[in-house]
Amino acid sequence: MDKELLSILKEANPDKKISLFNDFYRDYKAKDIDLSYKFEVVEFDKPSYASVCKIVPPQDVPRRSNLTTKDGQIILLHAIMHIEYSAIDLAIDAVYRFRDLPKQYYDDWLEVADDEVRHFLMLRELIQELGADYGDVEVHDALFEASQKTQTLIERMAVVPRYLEANGLDATPLILKKLKKLPKNEMIDKIIDRLNIILEEEIDHVKKGDIWFNYACKKNDMKKSSIYFEIIDRYYPQGFSRARSINTEARKEAGFSCVELNKMAHKDIC
Ligand SMILES: [Fe+2]
Ligand SMILES: [Fe+2]
Protein backbone atom coordinates (compact mmCIF):
# COMPACT_ATOMS: atom_id res chain seq x y z
CA MET A 1 0.00 0.00 0.00
CA ASP A 2 3.05 2.26 0.11
CA LYS A 3 2.64 3.26 -3.54
CA GLU A 4 -0.85 4.66 -2.90
CA LEU A 5 0.26 6.35 0.33
CA LEU A 6 3.20 7.97 -1.43
CA SER A 7 1.02 9.41 -4.15
CA ILE A 8 -1.36 10.89 -1.53
CA LEU A 9 1.59 12.38 0.36
CA LYS A 10 3.12 13.92 -2.75
CA GLU A 11 -0.12 15.37 -4.11
CA ALA A 12 0.09 19.16 -3.96
CA ASN A 13 -3.51 20.03 -4.76
CA PRO A 14 -5.61 19.89 -1.56
CA ASP A 15 -8.81 18.73 -3.33
CA LYS A 16 -6.97 15.98 -5.18
CA LYS A 17 -5.08 14.91 -2.04
CA ILE A 18 -8.31 14.62 -0.07
CA SER A 19 -10.08 12.72 -2.80
CA LEU A 20 -7.12 10.31 -3.18
CA PHE A 21 -7.11 9.79 0.58
CA ASN A 22 -10.87 9.23 0.75
CA ASP A 23 -10.66 6.57 -1.98
CA PHE A 24 -7.73 4.88 -0.28
CA TYR A 25 -9.34 4.94 3.19
CA ARG A 26 -12.63 3.57 1.85
CA ASP A 27 -10.76 0.63 0.25
CA TYR A 28 -8.63 0.13 3.37
CA LYS A 29 -11.70 -0.16 5.59
CA ALA A 30 -13.37 -2.48 3.09
CA LYS A 31 -10.18 -4.64 3.22
CA ASP A 32 -9.98 -4.04 -0.48
CA ILE A 33 -6.33 -3.12 -0.52
CA ASP A 34 -2.98 -4.90 -0.51
CA LEU A 35 -1.53 -4.05 2.90
CA SER A 36 2.06 -4.99 2.06
CA TYR A 37 4.85 -2.47 1.48
CA LYS A 38 6.86 -2.98 -1.69
CA PHE A 39 9.22 -0.04 -2.08
CA GLU A 40 11.87 1.65 0.02
CA VAL A 41 10.83 4.63 2.09
CA VAL A 42 11.28 7.92 0.24
CA GLU A 43 12.58 11.07 1.95
CA PHE A 44 10.90 14.36 1.13
CA ASP A 45 12.83 17.58 0.63
CA LYS A 46 9.84 19.91 0.70
CA PRO A 47 6.31 19.78 2.05
CA SER A 48 3.47 18.86 -0.32
CA TYR A 49 1.95 22.34 -0.01
CA ALA A 50 5.13 24.10 -1.21
CA SER A 51 3.49 25.05 -4.50
CA VAL A 52 0.17 26.05 -2.88
CA CYS A 53 1.35 28.22 0.03
CA LYS A 54 4.21 30.69 0.26
CA ILE A 55 6.52 29.37 2.98
CA VAL A 56 8.23 31.94 5.21
CA PRO A 57 10.22 31.72 8.48
CA PRO A 58 7.88 31.30 11.52
CA GLN A 59 8.57 34.86 12.71
CA ASP A 60 7.38 36.26 9.35
CA VAL A 61 3.99 34.52 9.34
CA PRO A 62 1.27 37.22 9.51
CA ARG A 63 -0.01 37.66 13.06
CA ARG A 64 -3.70 37.84 13.81
CA SER A 65 -4.30 41.33 15.10
CA ASN A 66 -7.91 42.38 15.26
CA LEU A 67 -10.21 39.36 15.28
CA THR A 68 -13.32 41.46 14.77
CA THR A 69 -12.16 42.25 11.23
CA LYS A 70 -12.46 39.96 8.23
CA ASP A 71 -8.69 40.07 7.68
CA GLY A 72 -7.98 39.10 11.29
CA GLN A 73 -10.40 36.17 11.02
CA ILE A 74 -8.84 35.01 7.75
CA ILE A 75 -5.36 35.05 9.29
CA LEU A 76 -6.55 33.07 12.35
CA LEU A 77 -8.47 30.51 10.28
CA HIS A 78 -5.61 30.11 7.83
CA ALA A 79 -3.05 29.52 10.61
CA ILE A 80 -5.19 26.78 12.16
CA MET A 81 -6.20 25.19 8.87
CA HIS A 82 -2.55 25.05 7.87
CA ILE A 83 -1.83 23.03 11.02
CA GLU A 84 -4.71 20.70 10.12
CA TYR A 85 -3.49 20.38 6.55
CA SER A 86 0.05 19.60 7.70
CA ALA A 87 -1.42 17.10 10.15
CA ILE A 88 -3.08 15.21 7.26
CA ASP A 89 0.36 14.62 5.72
CA LEU A 90 1.93 13.81 9.09
CA ALA A 91 -0.65 11.13 9.91
CA ILE A 92 -0.34 9.56 6.46
CA ASP A 93 3.45 9.76 6.71
CA ALA A 94 3.30 7.82 10.00
CA VAL A 95 1.49 5.06 8.10
CA TYR A 96 3.81 5.23 5.11
CA ARG A 97 7.14 5.43 6.92
CA PHE A 98 6.95 3.09 9.91
CA ARG A 99 6.52 -0.50 8.87
CA ASP A 100 6.06 -3.96 10.40
CA LEU A 101 3.84 -2.67 13.18
CA PRO A 102 0.56 -4.17 14.44
CA LYS A 103 -2.46 -3.50 12.19
CA GLN A 104 -3.97 -1.36 14.96
CA TYR A 105 -1.19 1.16 14.41
CA TYR A 106 -2.23 1.68 10.79
CA ASP A 107 -5.92 1.75 11.73
CA ASP A 108 -5.16 4.44 14.31
CA TRP A 109 -3.15 6.80 12.12
CA LEU A 110 -5.46 6.49 9.15
CA GLU A 111 -8.33 7.36 11.47
CA VAL A 112 -6.33 10.41 12.60
CA ALA A 113 -5.70 11.40 8.96
CA ASP A 114 -9.44 11.13 8.34
CA ASP A 115 -10.13 13.43 11.33
CA GLU A 116 -7.54 15.94 10.09
CA VAL A 117 -9.16 16.01 6.65
CA ARG A 118 -12.48 16.81 8.33
CA HIS A 119 -10.89 19.50 10.53
CA PHE A 120 -9.26 21.09 7.51
CA LEU A 121 -12.53 21.12 5.56
CA MET A 122 -14.47 22.51 8.54
CA LEU A 123 -12.17 25.54 8.64
CA ARG A 124 -11.89 25.83 4.90
CA GLU A 125 -15.66 26.23 4.69
CA LEU A 126 -15.41 29.24 7.00
CA ILE A 127 -12.46 30.88 5.25
CA GLN A 128 -14.31 30.47 1.96
CA GLU A 129 -17.33 32.23 3.48
CA LEU A 130 -14.95 35.12 4.10
CA GLY A 131 -13.90 35.06 0.44
CA ALA A 132 -10.46 33.50 0.97
CA ASP A 133 -8.97 30.02 0.63
CA TYR A 134 -6.07 27.84 1.66
CA GLY A 135 -2.89 29.28 0.17
CA ASP A 136 -3.91 32.93 0.55
CA VAL A 137 -1.76 33.59 3.64
CA GLU A 138 1.94 32.89 4.14
CA VAL A 139 2.76 29.83 6.24
CA HIS A 140 5.71 28.22 8.04
CA ASP A 141 6.79 24.62 7.60
CA ALA A 142 7.64 23.80 11.23
CA LEU A 143 5.46 20.68 11.28
CA PHE A 144 7.05 19.35 8.11
CA GLU A 145 10.49 19.99 9.59
CA ALA A 146 9.51 18.13 12.75
CA SER A 147 8.58 15.13 10.66
CA GLN A 148 11.85 15.32 8.73
CA LYS A 149 13.86 15.31 11.94
CA THR A 150 12.07 12.33 13.45
CA GLN A 151 12.69 9.24 11.40
CA THR A 152 12.19 6.64 14.13
CA LEU A 153 8.84 5.66 15.63
CA ILE A 154 9.84 6.57 19.18
CA GLU A 155 11.00 10.07 18.17
CA ARG A 156 8.07 10.69 15.85
CA MET A 157 5.49 9.72 18.47
CA ALA A 158 7.23 11.80 21.14
CA VAL A 159 7.53 14.89 18.96
CA VAL A 160 4.45 14.98 16.71
CA PRO A 161 1.45 13.79 18.75
CA ARG A 162 2.96 13.92 22.21
CA TYR A 163 4.62 17.33 21.94
CA LEU A 164 3.26 19.37 19.02
CA GLU A 165 -0.34 18.15 19.02
CA ALA A 166 -0.34 18.17 22.83
CA ASN A 167 0.78 21.81 22.74
CA GLY A 168 -2.35 22.44 20.69
CA LEU A 169 -4.41 21.15 23.64
CA ASP A 170 -2.86 23.93 25.73
CA ALA A 171 -3.11 26.65 23.06
CA THR A 172 -6.65 26.16 21.76
CA PRO A 173 -8.40 27.02 25.08
CA LEU A 174 -6.43 30.29 25.15
CA ILE A 175 -7.61 31.16 21.62
CA LEU A 176 -11.18 30.21 22.58
CA LYS A 177 -11.01 32.43 25.64
CA LYS A 178 -9.91 35.38 23.50
CA LEU A 179 -12.67 34.73 20.93
CA LYS A 180 -15.37 34.47 23.59
CA LYS A 181 -14.50 37.93 24.90
CA LEU A 182 -15.19 39.56 21.52
CA PRO A 183 -18.46 41.30 20.69
CA LYS A 184 -21.09 38.87 19.40
CA ASN A 185 -20.56 38.02 15.76
CA GLU A 186 -21.85 35.15 13.62
CA MET A 187 -18.46 34.20 12.18
CA ILE A 188 -16.75 34.29 15.58
CA ASP A 189 -19.48 31.96 16.94
CA LYS A 190 -18.87 29.53 14.08
CA ILE A 191 -15.10 29.59 14.67
CA ILE A 192 -15.68 28.92 18.39
CA ASP A 193 -17.97 25.95 17.64
CA ARG A 194 -15.51 24.37 15.26
CA LEU A 195 -12.49 24.92 17.48
CA ASN A 196 -14.37 23.22 20.33
CA ILE A 197 -14.95 20.15 18.15
CA ILE A 198 -11.30 20.12 17.05
CA LEU A 199 -10.03 20.47 20.63
CA GLU A 200 -12.14 17.54 21.79
CA GLU A 201 -11.01 15.31 18.92
CA GLU A 202 -7.34 16.22 19.23
CA ILE A 203 -7.26 14.62 22.69
CA ASP A 204 -7.72 11.29 20.94
CA HIS A 205 -4.81 11.97 18.58
CA VAL A 206 -2.47 12.67 21.49
CA LYS A 207 -3.79 9.54 23.20
CA LYS A 208 -3.03 7.44 20.14
CA GLY A 209 0.44 8.99 20.13
CA ASP A 210 0.81 8.00 23.78
CA ILE A 211 -0.17 4.40 23.05
CA TRP A 212 2.38 4.04 20.24
CA PHE A 213 5.04 5.96 22.11
CA ASN A 214 4.62 3.43 24.95
CA TYR A 215 4.83 0.63 22.43
CA ALA A 216 8.09 2.02 20.98
CA CYS A 217 9.55 2.52 24.47
CA LYS A 218 8.86 -1.10 25.38
CA LYS A 219 10.27 -2.35 22.10
CA ASN A 220 13.46 -0.34 22.56
CA ASP A 221 13.64 -1.17 26.24
CA MET A 222 13.61 2.49 27.18
CA LYS A 223 12.11 4.20 30.17
CA LYS A 224 9.16 6.33 29.10
CA SER A 225 9.57 8.98 31.81
CA SER A 226 13.16 9.89 30.94
CA ILE A 227 13.31 9.26 27.20
CA TYR A 228 10.40 11.60 26.45
CA PHE A 229 12.07 14.67 27.94
CA GLU A 230 15.39 13.62 26.41
CA ILE A 231 13.88 13.58 22.92
CA ILE A 232 12.00 16.87 23.36
CA ASP A 233 15.13 18.53 24.77
CA ARG A 234 17.07 17.39 21.74
CA TYR A 235 14.70 18.99 19.21
CA TYR A 236 13.08 21.75 21.25
CA PRO A 237 15.62 22.86 23.89
CA GLN A 238 13.26 25.66 24.99
CA GLY A 239 10.21 23.37 24.87
CA PHE A 240 9.59 23.05 28.57
CA SER A 241 12.11 25.58 29.80
CA ARG A 242 9.61 27.89 31.41
CA ALA A 243 6.26 27.64 33.11
CA ARG A 244 3.25 28.00 30.85
CA SER A 245 -0.41 27.23 30.69
CA ILE A 246 -1.02 23.46 30.66
CA ASN A 247 -4.38 21.86 29.87
CA THR A 248 -4.09 19.38 32.73
CA GLU A 249 -7.42 17.66 32.20
CA ALA A 250 -7.03 17.09 28.45
CA ARG A 251 -3.41 15.99 28.78
CA LYS A 252 -4.26 13.52 31.55
CA GLU A 253 -7.00 12.08 29.38
CA ALA A 254 -4.43 11.74 26.61
CA GLY A 255 -2.09 9.69 28.79
CA PHE A 256 0.32 12.18 30.39
CA SER A 257 1.27 11.31 33.97
CA CYS A 258 1.17 13.78 36.85
CA VAL A 259 4.95 13.53 37.12
CA GLU A 260 5.28 14.65 33.50
CA LEU A 261 2.69 17.42 33.85
CA ASN A 262 4.25 18.86 37.00
CA LYS A 263 7.63 18.85 35.32
CA MET A 264 6.22 20.70 32.28
CA ALA A 265 4.40 23.28 34.38
CA HIS A 266 7.34 23.80 36.77
CA LYS A 267 4.86 23.51 39.65
CA ASP A 268 2.37 21.07 41.08
CA ILE A 269 -0.71 21.15 38.90
CA CYS A 270 -1.65 17.51 39.13
FE1 LIG B 1 -6.83 18.27 13.76
FE1 LIG C 1 -4.50 15.98 15.28
Side-chain angles (χ1 to χ4, degrees):
M1 64 175 176
D2 47 333
K3 198 173 151 227
E4 292 87 344
L5 291 167
L6 186 60
S7 56
I8 305 170
L9 283 170
K10 283 168 113 178
E11 180 55 59
N13 179 294
D15 293 309
K16 278 193 203 149
K17 186 190 287 284
I18 290 170
S19 125
L20 282 174
F21 173 74
N22 288 341
D23 291 349
F24 173 84
Y25 194 42
R26 187 197 53 231
D27 291 349
Y28 178 89
K29 284 190 291 188
K31 300 187 172 57
D32 233 5
I33 211 154
D34 175 8
L35 292 176
S36 63
Y37 291 83
K38 297 201 169 62
F39 304 94
E40 294 226 339
V41 176
V42 171
E43 306 269 326
F44 303 113
D45 54 5
K46 57 178 189 320
S48 69
Y49 50 80
S51 58
V52 178
C53 300
K54 185 170 181 232
I55 301 167
V56 296
Q59 65 272 18
D60 294 343
V61 169
R63 301 264 158 239
R64 45 181 186 267
S65 44
N66 187 347
L67 290 172
T68 58
T69 66
K70 202 170 128 182
D71 281 354
Q73 292 165 1
I74 288 173
I75 286 173
L76 172 70
L77 281 167
H78 199 281
I80 306 172
M81 77 194 284
H82 177 60
I83 294 174
E84 301 297 343
Y85 194 73
S86 305
I88 301 173
D89 276 347
L90 285 182
I92 298 171
D93 190 76
V95 175
Y96 168 72
R97 195 160 306 274
F98 303 116
R99 302 177 175 189
D100 303 317
L101 291 161
K103 169 130 189 325
Q104 186 64 45
Y105 172 87
Y106 303 102
D107 292 353
D108 279 356
W109 293 105
L110 287 172
E111 194 185 344
V112 170
D114 191 48
D115 282 351
E116 308 296 16
V117 164
R118 199 161 29 79
H119 294 171
F120 171 74
L121 293 175
M122 270 161 52
L123 300 172
R124 190 187 201 183
E125 200 178 80
L126 297 187
I127 212 170
Q128 284 176 337
E129 270 182 44
L130 294 169
D133 204 351
Y134 186 53
D136 286 354
V137 182
E138 293 163 327
V139 300
H140 63 73
D141 63 356
L143 284 174
F144 172 75
E145 281 195 2
S147 72
Q148 288 298 95
K149 284 187 263 183
T150 51
Q151 297 287 325
T152 60
L153 180 67
I154 194 165
E155 290 198 324
R156 178 68 62 87
M157 293 296 117
V159 165
V160 174
R162 233 175 165 264
Y163 179 68
L164 298 171
E165 288 197 280
N167 283 348
L169 301 181
D170 303 332
T172 309
L174 304 179
I175 301 173
L176 282 165
K177 207 168 145 189
K178 220 184 255 175
L179 290 171
K180 283 176 191 160
K181 275 193 203 146
L182 297 174
K184 263 227 146 317
N185 166 295
E186 207 191 322
M187 179 51 74
I188 295 291
D189 284 347
K190 284 188 199 172
I191 299 175
I192 292 174
D193 284 348
R194 293 182 189 201
L195 286 187
N196 271 320
I197 297 172
I198 291 175
L199 175 59
E200 189 55 40
E201 295 187 353
E202 290 298 331
I203 297 174
D204 179 63
H205 301 177
V206 182
K207 201 175 191 168
K208 285 185 165 70
D210 186 61
I211 291 169
W212 294 105
F213 178 67
N214 287 339
Y215 174 91
C217 287
K218 270 199 198 122
K219 250 204 150 157
N220 293 289
D221 212 7
M222 284 170 170
K223 224 175 133 215
K224 179 185 181 184
S225 51
S226 50
I227 190 68
Y228 174 70
F229 286 101
E230 244 175 79
I231 293 171
I232 302 308
D233 262 1
R234 194 178 311 150
Y235 296 115
Y236 302 93
Q238 303 299 315
F240 295 120
S241 64
R242 62 183 93 118
R244 59 178 165 114
S245 161
I246 296 278
N247 188 341
T248 313
E249 215 177 296
R251 279 183 180 259
K252 272 176 83 175
E253 210 183 315
F256 283 95
S257 70
C258 282
V259 174
E260 288 178 307
L261 294 176
N262 292 339
K263 196 168 167 181
M264 286 170 197
H266 295 262
K267 60 179 176 194
D268 283 350
I269 53 165
C270 179

Coordinates of all heavy atoms in Angstrom, one line a residue, residues 158 161-171 199 202-203 206-207 210 224 228-229 232 239-240 244-258 260-262 264-265 269-270:
A158 N 7.0 10.8 20.1 CA 7.2 11.8 21.1 C 7.0 13.2 20.6 O 6.4 14.0 21.3 CB 8.7 11.6 21.6
P161 N 2.7 13.7 17.9 CA 1.4 13.8 18.7 C 1.7 14.2 20.2 O 0.9 15.0 20.7 CB 0.9 12.4 18.7 CG 2.0 11.5 18.2 CD 3.0 12.3 17.5
R162 N 2.8 13.7 20.8 CA 3.0 13.9 22.2 C 3.6 15.2 22.6 O 3.7 15.6 23.8 CB 3.8 12.8 22.8 CG 3.0 12.1 23.9 CD 3.7 10.9 24.5 NE 3.2 10.5 25.7 CZ 3.7 10.9 26.9 NH1 4.8 11.6 26.9 NH2 3.1 10.6 28.0
Y163 N 4.1 16.0 21.6 CA 4.6 17.3 21.9 C 3.8 18.4 21.2 O 3.1 19.2 21.7 CB 6.1 17.4 21.6 CG 6.7 18.8 21.9 CD1 6.8 19.3 23.2 CD2 7.1 19.6 20.9 CE1 7.3 20.6 23.5 CE2 7.6 20.9 21.2 CZ 7.7 21.4 22.4 OH 8.1 22.6 22.7
L164 N 3.9 18.3 19.8 CA 3.3 19.4 19.0 C 1.7 19.4 19.1 O 1.1 20.4 19.4 CB 3.7 19.3 17.6 CG 5.2 19.4 17.4 CD1 5.6 19.1 15.9 CD2 5.6 20.9 17.7
E165 N 1.1 18.2 18.9 CA -0.3 18.1 19.0 C -0.8 18.4 20.5 O -1.8 19.0 20.7 CB -0.9 16.8 18.5 CG -0.8 16.7 17.0 CD -1.7 15.5 16.5 OE1 -1.3 14.4 16.6 OE2 -2.8 15.9 16.0
A166 N 0.0 17.9 21.4 CA -0.3 18.2 22.8 C -0.2 19.7 23.2 O -1.0 20.2 23.9 CB 0.6 17.3 23.7
N167 N 0.7 20.4 22.5 CA 0.8 21.8 22.7 C -0.5 22.5 22.2 O -0.9 23.5 22.8 CB 2.0 22.4 22.0 CG 3.3 22.1 22.7 OD1 3.3 21.7 23.9 ND2 4.4 22.4 22.0
G168 N -1.1 21.9 21.2 CA -2.3 22.4 20.7 C -3.5 22.3 21.7 O -4.3 23.2 21.8
L169 N -3.4 21.3 22.6 CA -4.4 21.1 23.6 C -4.3 22.3 24.6 O -5.3 22.7 25.3 CB -4.2 19.8 24.4 CG -4.4 18.5 23.6 CD1 -4.2 17.3 24.5 CD2 -5.7 18.4 22.8
D170 N -3.1 22.8 24.8 CA -2.9 23.9 25.7 C -3.3 25.3 25.1 O -3.8 26.2 25.7 CB -1.4 24.1 26.1 CG -0.8 22.8 26.8 OD1 -1.6 22.1 27.4 OD2 0.4 22.6 26.6
A171 N -2.9 25.4 23.8 CA -3.1 26.6 23.1 C -4.6 26.9 22.7 O -5.0 28.1 22.8 CB -2.2 26.7 21.8
L199 N -10.7 20.7 19.3 CA -10.0 20.5 20.6 C -10.4 19.1 21.2 O -9.5 18.4 21.7 CB -10.4 21.6 21.6 CG -9.9 21.5 23.0 CD1 -8.3 21.4 23.1 CD2 -10.3 22.7 23.9
E202 N -8.8 16.3 19.2 CA -7.3 16.2 19.2 C -6.8 15.4 20.4 O -5.7 14.9 20.4 CB -6.7 17.6 19.2 CG -6.8 18.4 17.9 CD -6.2 17.7 16.7 OE1 -5.2 17.0 16.9 OE2 -6.6 17.9 15.6
I203 N -7.7 15.4 21.5 CA -7.3 14.6 22.7 C -7.0 13.2 22.3 O -6.0 12.6 22.7 CB -8.4 14.7 23.8 CG1 -8.5 16.1 24.3 CG2 -8.0 13.8 25.0 CD1 -9.7 16.3 25.3
V206 N -3.6 12.7 20.5 CA -2.5 12.7 21.5 C -2.5 11.3 22.2 O -1.4 10.7 22.4 CB -2.6 13.8 22.5 CG1 -1.4 13.8 23.4 CG2 -2.6 15.2 21.7
K207 N -3.7 10.8 22.5 CA -3.8 9.5 23.2 C -3.2 8.4 22.3 O -2.5 7.5 22.8 CB -5.3 9.3 23.5 CG -5.6 8.3 24.6 CD -7.1 8.3 24.8 CE -7.5 7.5 26.0 NZ -8.9 7.8 26.3
D210 N 0.3 8.5 22.5 CA 0.8 8.0 23.8 C 0.9 6.5 23.7 O 1.9 5.9 24.1 CB -0.1 8.4 24.9 CG 0.4 8.0 26.3 OD1 1.4 8.5 26.7 OD2 -0.3 7.2 26.9
K224 N 10.0 5.3 29.6 CA 9.2 6.3 29.1 C 9.4 7.7 29.8 O 9.6 8.7 29.1 CB 7.7 5.9 29.3 CG 6.7 6.9 28.8 CD 5.3 6.5 29.1 CE 4.3 7.5 28.6 NZ 2.9 7.2 29.0
Y228 N 11.2 10.6 27.0 CA 10.4 11.6 26.4 C 11.1 13.0 26.6 O 11.2 13.7 25.6 CB 9.0 11.6 27.1 CG 8.1 12.8 26.6 CD1 7.7 12.8 25.3 CD2 7.9 13.8 27.4 CE1 6.9 13.8 24.9 CE2 7.1 14.9 27.0 CZ 6.6 14.9 25.7 OH 5.9 15.9 25.2
F229 N 11.5 13.3 27.8 CA 12.1 14.7 27.9 C 13.4 14.8 27.2 O 13.8 15.8 26.8 CB 12.2 15.0 29.4 CG 10.8 15.3 30.0 CD1 10.1 14.4 30.8 CD2 10.3 16.6 29.8 CE1 8.9 14.7 31.3 CE2 9.0 16.9 30.3 CZ 8.3 16.0 31.1
I232 N 12.5 15.5 23.5 CA 12.0 16.9 23.4 C 13.1 17.9 23.5 O 13.2 18.8 22.8 CB 10.8 17.2 24.3 CG1 9.7 16.2 24.1 CG2 10.3 18.6 24.1 CD1 9.2 16.0 22.6
G239 N 11.6 23.9 24.8 CA 10.2 23.4 24.9 C 9.5 23.5 26.2 O 8.4 23.9 26.3
F240 N 10.2 23.0 27.2 CA 9.6 23.0 28.6 C 10.4 23.9 29.5 O 10.4 23.6 30.7 CB 9.4 21.6 29.1 CG 8.5 20.8 28.3 CD1 8.9 19.6 27.7 CD2 7.2 21.1 28.2 CE1 8.1 18.8 27.0 CE2 6.3 20.3 27.4 CZ 6.7 19.2 26.8
R244 N 4.3 27.5 31.8 CA 3.3 28.0 30.8 C 1.9 27.3 31.1 O 1.9 26.4 31.9 CB 3.7 27.8 29.4 CG 3.9 26.3 29.1 CD 4.3 26.2 27.7 NE 4.9 24.9 27.4 CZ 4.3 24.0 26.6 NH1 3.1 24.2 26.1 NH2 4.8 22.8 26.3
S245 N 0.9 27.8 30.5 CA -0.4 27.2 30.7 C -0.5 25.8 30.2 O -0.1 25.5 29.0 CB -1.4 28.1 30.0 OG -2.6 27.5 29.8
I246 N -0.9 24.9 31.0 CA -1.0 23.5 30.7 C -2.5 23.0 30.8 O -3.1 23.3 31.8 CB -0.1 22.6 31.6 CG1 1.4 22.9 31.4 CG2 -0.4 21.1 31.4 CD1 2.1 22.3 30.3
N247 N -3.0 22.4 29.8 CA -4.4 21.9 29.9 C -4.3 20.5 30.6 O -4.3 19.4 29.9 CB -4.9 21.7 28.4 CG -6.4 21.4 28.4 OD1 -7.0 20.9 29.4 ND2 -7.0 21.6 27.3
T248 N -4.3 20.6 31.9 CA -4.1 19.4 32.7 C -5.1 18.3 32.4 O -4.7 17.1 32.2 CB -4.2 19.7 34.2 OG1 -3.4 20.9 34.4 CG2 -3.6 18.6 35.1
E249 N -6.4 18.7 32.4 CA -7.4 17.7 32.2 C -7.3 16.9 30.9 O -7.3 15.7 30.8 CB -8.8 18.4 32.2 CG -9.9 17.6 32.9 CD -11.1 18.4 32.9 OE1 -11.1 19.5 33.6 OE2 -12.1 18.1 32.2
A250 N -7.1 17.7 29.8 CA -7.0 17.1 28.5 C -5.8 16.2 28.3 O -5.8 15.1 27.8 CB -7.0 18.2 27.4
R251 N -4.7 16.7 28.9 CA -3.4 16.0 28.8 C -3.5 14.7 29.6 O -2.9 13.7 29.2 CB -2.2 16.9 29.2 CG -1.7 17.8 28.1 CD -0.5 18.6 28.7 NE 0.0 19.5 27.7 CZ 1.1 19.3 27.0 NH1 1.7 18.2 27.1 NH2 1.5 20.2 26.1
K252 N -4.1 14.7 30.7 CA -4.3 13.5 31.5 C -5.1 12.5 30.8 O -4.7 11.3 30.7 CB -4.9 13.8 32.9 CG -3.9 14.2 34.0 CD -4.6 14.6 35.3 CE -4.9 13.4 36.1 NZ -5.5 13.8 37.4
E253 N -6.2 13.0 30.2 CA -7.0 12.1 29.4 C -6.2 11.5 28.2 O -6.5 10.3 27.8 CB -8.2 12.9 28.8 CG -9.4 12.1 28.6 CD -10.5 13.0 28.0 OE1 -10.7 14.1 28.5 OE2 -11.2 12.5 27.0
A254 N -5.2 12.2 27.7 CA -4.4 11.7 26.6 C -3.2 10.9 27.1 O -2.4 10.5 26.2 CB -4.0 12.9 25.8
G255 N -3.1 10.6 28.3 CA -2.1 9.7 28.8 C -0.9 10.3 29.5 O 0.0 9.5 29.9
F256 N -0.8 11.6 29.7 CA 0.3 12.2 30.4 C 0.2 11.9 31.9 O -0.9 11.9 32.4 CB 0.4 13.7 30.2 CG 1.0 14.1 28.8 CD1 0.1 14.4 27.8 CD2 2.3 14.2 28.6 CE1 0.6 14.7 26.5 CE2 2.8 14.5 27.4 CZ 2.0 14.8 26.3
S257 N 1.3 11.6 32.5 CA 1.3 11.3 34.0 C 1.4 12.6 34.7 O 1.9 13.6 34.2 CB 2.4 10.4 34.3 OG 3.7 11.1 34.2
C258 N 1.0 12.6 36.0 CA 1.2 13.8 36.9 C 2.6 14.2 37.0 O 3.0 15.4 37.0 CB 0.6 13.5 38.2 SG -1.2 13.6 38.2
E260 N 4.9 13.9 34.7 CA 5.3 14.6 33.5 C 4.7 16.0 33.5 O 5.3 17.0 33.2 CB 4.8 13.9 32.3 CG 5.5 12.6 31.9 CD 4.9 11.9 30.7 OE1 3.7 11.6 30.7 OE2 5.7 11.6 29.8
L261 N 3.4 16.1 33.9 CA 2.7 17.4 33.8 C 3.3 18.4 34.8 O 3.5 19.6 34.5 CB 1.2 17.2 34.1 CG 0.4 16.4 33.1 CD1 -1.0 16.2 33.5 CD2 0.5 17.1 31.7
N262 N 3.6 18.0 36.0 CA 4.2 18.9 37.0 C 5.6 19.4 36.5 O 6.0 20.5 36.7 CB 4.4 18.2 38.4 CG 3.0 17.9 39.0 OD1 2.0 18.5 38.6 ND2 3.0 16.9 39.9
M264 N 6.5 19.7 33.4 CA 6.2 20.7 32.3 C 5.8 22.1 32.8 O 6.2 23.1 32.3 CB 5.1 20.2 31.4 CG 5.5 19.1 30.5 SD 3.9 18.4 29.7 CE 4.6 16.9 29.2
A265 N 5.0 22.0 33.9 CA 4.4 23.3 34.4 C 5.3 24.0 35.3 O 5.1 25.1 35.7 CB 3.1 23.0 35.1
I269 N 0.6 20.9 39.5 CA -0.7 21.1 38.9 C -1.6 19.9 38.9 O -2.7 19.9 38.5 CB -0.6 21.7 37.5 CG1 0.2 20.8 36.6 CG2 0.0 23.1 37.4 CD1 0.1 21.1 35.1
C270 N -1.0 18.8 39.3 CA -1.6 17.5 39.1 C -1.4 16.6 40.4 O -0.3 16.6 40.9 CB -1.1 16.9 37.9 SG -1.8 15.3 37.5

